Amino acid sequence: MRTFEAGNTILAEAEDSVFLGIVMSGILRVQRTMADGRQQIVGLLLPADFFGRVFERTSGVAVEAATDVTLCCFERHAFERLLSRSPELEHQMFLAVLRELDAARDWMLLLGSQTIPERVASFFLILHRRTTVIEPDMPSRKRRLSVHVPISRHDMAAYLGTTVETISRVIQDMSRRGIIEIHSPQHFGILDEKRLVRCSGREELSIGHRCLADEPHMAVG
Amino acid sequence: MRTFEAGNTILAEAEDSVFLGIVMSGILRVQRTMADGRQQIVGLLLPADFFGRVFERTSGVAVEAATDVTLCCFERHAFERLLSRSPELEHQMFLAVLRELDAARDWMLLLGSQTIPERVASFFLILHRRTTVIEPDMPSRKRRLSVHVPISRHDMAAYLGTTVETISRVIQDMSRRGIIEIHSPQHFGILDEKRLVRCSGREELSIGHRCLADEPHMAVG
DNA sequence: CGCTGTATTGATGCAAGTCAAGGTAAGTGG
DNA sequence: CCACTTACCTTGACTTGCATCAATACAGCG
């Protein structure tokens, strides 16, 4: 069980990863960096999500703490031996990676074909969906209408493939149009869910059905 | 063993997939479509690649023939039973999906952080790398300098998250600048590989090391 | 031949990036 | 308690990369 402060690197891009594990609290970002410094976040890991690369010394992605985090860590080789001994466990890992692949492809659609406002709306809806599953102890009225964005504008931009300025403008605009309300930079209320869905460019189906929001994720970082 | 003509749908987005298999010849595109018709290709499958979704009735992606194709098909449930009986085979599938996840994330970086000219250059380099592995019978001099783009401009645009017009302009421009030469709309020569790599915005490392080009892929479509 | 689908080229407009300047809030030290 | 810093977010003015719209070129083919 280890803790990291926001901003710390858990696994570097080229580094040999010696451990892997599960997020207990906080948020991890899985990201790739280009030679000139441009960064793209390719996954966010919430509590209960798995991080780390099995069966490979290194993956091309870095895993960093987006907030203060506590992780439950295992030694990689020991975990791999466990997997070899337990086909059932490996099967479950397999299914998780398949889901993660779906999520990655969903995100490719977002990055390749959606406008920035659509991406922001999608992000809100996905976050809303995931976090309401994770925190089921809130009063249901409140829960249905509020979104907590657990990361900075900078990370949001790196995740959505845009810039902080554009993110800011889009959010303010959605608020001005009465689609959402801004309680604080990280807390929002959804005033018009129907319209938010329409803004996202997605159908009820692909948001509600199978997407990033559905299950705990594998990082395989 | 089945054949499909270019443009035919092998597996639709919402359809129950009853079979899966391996590409023998031709190219498959794995794609997602939005409500308003925008499409994003999330993967290309070359000969020897695997397509189809295991352990899931349907995935959110469609698999279509980008060219005339011949496929070696298996009945899905039979294949899944085979996997359950053979942990070793399932392990290999697992590794393949992990590689595919890496490739998807690589593509997320491309779609989220690279300019269109960079994407085109990256695509050329990746294609060059993959196809020279697949066709090792060419004279090595010729092989090192030529690229065959096996898909239409339309598919290229859908893969790179842009439009046919922009693709066309970028290619003509690279040719005018002496980086590549155009033999036919689908055949190109690489005149200045160093410069092409620089255009791609990637380092030698991430193109040569681990990326889309490395291994046969899983479609899991 | 004209027809059809695919690729190129040109002109124009807009979405979003860039650059630069505030604004706000939390933390620090005198 | 108040200046000062630092980090983050917002806002404005300007620029530009790329999409869009529209036209032309270039096959292959009935």
Side-chain angles (χ1 to χ4, degrees):
Chain A
M1 194 73 73
R2 305 175 59 174
T3 68
F4 293 87
E5 286 183 0
N8 284 9
T9 300
I10 283 93
L11 302 170
E13 283 198 26
E15 179 191 51
D16 276 22
S17 63
V18 293
F19 62 92
L20 38 72
I22 293 168
V23 181
M24 304 307 286
S25 73
I27 313 272
L28 296 184
R29 53 171 186 255
V30 184
Q31 62 188 12
R32 289 210 47 171
T33 307
M34 290 179 43
D36 63 357
R38 277 174 287 177
Q39 293 189 330
Q40 178 67 39
I41 294 180
V42 297
L44 283 183
L45 300 176
L46 307 193
D49 289 351
F50 184 95
F51 75 93
R53 159 62 101 202
V54 280
F55 302 127
E56 195 86 46
R57 281 193 17 270
T58 169
S59 72
V61 296
V63 179
E64 298 186 1
T67 65
D68 293 351
V69 291
T70 63
L71 308 175
C72 176
C73 297
F74 305 96
E75 200 268 314
R76 186 168 65 89
H77 287 106
F79 191 79
E80 287 174 0
R81 279 194 298 276
L82 178 62
L83 284 187
S84 319
R85 266 183 281 116
S86 166
E88 174 54 26
L89 181 57
E90 178 162 329
H91 181 71
Q92 290 306 319
M93 289 280 294
F94 186 23
L95 294 185
V97 174
L98 282 171
R99 283 195 300 268
E100 187 70 1
L101 183 58
D102 282 341
R105 287 178 163 161
D106 205 39
W107 213 252
M108 285 171 59
L109 180 69
L110 181 142
L111 293 174
S113 304
Q114 294 192 208
T115 66
I116 309 290
E118 284 171 342
R119 298 184 205 183
V120 173
S122 299
F123 183 63
F124 273 26
L125 288 166
I126 287 169
L127 262 187
H128 178 246
R129 191 155 200 283
R130 279 206 74 185
T131 51
T132 47
V133 171
I134 300 230
E135 300 161 15
D137 49 333
M138 279 182 158
S140 79
R141 192 90 216 122
K142 196 83 185 166
R143 186 202 327 164
R144 281 203 35 240
L145 300 172
S146 77
V147 183
H148 173 220
V149 177
I151 55 174
S152 68
R153 293 285 186 276
H154 181 85
D155 283 351
M156 227 180 128
Y159 198 28
L160 299 178
T162 180
T163 61
V164 284
E165 294 95 327
T166 303
I167 294 275
S168 193
R169 276 185 249 276
V170 169
I171 288 179
Q172 299 301 322
D173 186 58
M174 289 202 307
S175 145
R176 241 172 278 125
R177 288 161 56 198
I179 299 171
I180 61 171
E181 60 184 350
I182 304 172
H183 299 134
S184 83
Q186 304 219 324
H187 292 86
F188 304 87
I190 298 180
L191 299 177
D192 190 340
E193 191 171 359
K194 266 261 155 68
R195 205 132 65 97
L196 188 59
V197 170
R198 240 180 298 129
C199 282
S200 78
R202 296 165 175 238
E203 325 165 53
E204 206 77 48
L205 191 132
S206 75
I207 290 184
H209 186 44
R210 179 229 305 293
C211 69
L212 283 189
D214 265 356
E215 321 235 6
H217 286 193
M218 306 291 300
V220 196
Chain B
M1 194 74 72
R2 305 175 58 172
T3 68
F4 293 86
E5 287 183 0
N8 283 9
T9 299
I10 284 88
L11 302 169
E13 284 199 27
E15 178 192 51
D16 277 21
S17 64
V18 294
F19 62 93
L20 37 73
I22 293 169
V23 181
M24 303 308 284
S25 72
I27 313 271
L28 296 184
R29 55 172 186 255
V30 184
Q31 62 188 13
R32 288 209 44 167
T33 307
M34 292 178 41
D36 62 359
R38 278 174 286 177
Q39 292 189 330
Q40 178 67 39
I41 293 180
V42 297
L44 283 183
L45 300 176
L46 309 192
D49 289 351
F50 183 95
F51 74 93
R53 160 62 101 200
V54 280
F55 301 127
E56 194 88 45
R57 282 194 15 271
T58 169
S59 72
V61 296
V63 178
E64 298 186 3
T67 66
D68 293 351
V69 291
T70 63
L71 308 175
C72 176
C73 299
F74 305 96
E75 201 266 314
R76 187 169 65 90
H77 286 106
F79 190 80
E80 287 174 0
R81 280 194 297 276
L82 178 62
L83 283 186
S84 321
R85 268 184 280 115
S86 166
E88 174 55 26
L89 181 57
E90 177 160 330
H91 181 71
Q92 291 305 321
M93 289 280 294
F94 186 21
L95 294 184
V97 175
L98 281 171
R99 284 195 300 268
E100 186 71 1
L101 182 57
D102 283 340
R105 286 177 165 162
D106 206 38
W107 213 252
M108 283 171 61
L109 179 69
L110 181 142
L111 293 174
S113 302
Q114 295 191 209
T115 66
I116 309 292
E118 284 171 341
R119 298 184 206 184
V120 173
S122 299
F123 183 62
F124 273 26
L125 288 167
I126 287 169
L127 262 187
H128 177 246
R129 191 156 201 282
R130 281 207 73 184
T131 51
T132 47
V133 171
I134 301 234
E135 301 161 16
D137 48 331
M138 280 183 157
S140 81
R141 192 91 217 121
K142 197 84 185 163
R143 188 204 322 166
R144 282 201 37 238
L145 299 172
S146 76
V147 184
H148 174 221
V149 177
I151 55 175
S152 69
R153 292 284 185 278
H154 181 85
D155 284 351
M156 226 179 129
Y159 198 27
L160 299 178
T162 180
T163 60
V164 285
E165 295 94 325
T166 302
I167 295 272
S168 193
R169 275 184 250 275
V170 169
I171 288 179
Q172 299 300 322
D173 185 59
M174 290 202 306
S175 145
R176 241 172 279 124
R177 288 161 56 196
I179 299 171
I180 60 171
E181 60 183 353
I182 304 172
H183 299 135
S184 83
Q186 305 219 324
H187 292 85
F188 305 88
I190 299 181
L191 300 178
D192 190 341
E193 191 172 0
K194 267 262 156 69
R195 205 133 66 95
L196 187 59
V197 170
R198 239 178 300 128
C199 282
S200 78
R202 296 167 174 234
E203 326 164 54
E204 207 77 47
L205 192 132
S206 76
I207 290 184
H209 185 47
R210 177 230 305 293
C211 68
L212 282 189
D214 265 357
E215 321 235 9
H217 286 193
M218 307 291 299
V220 197

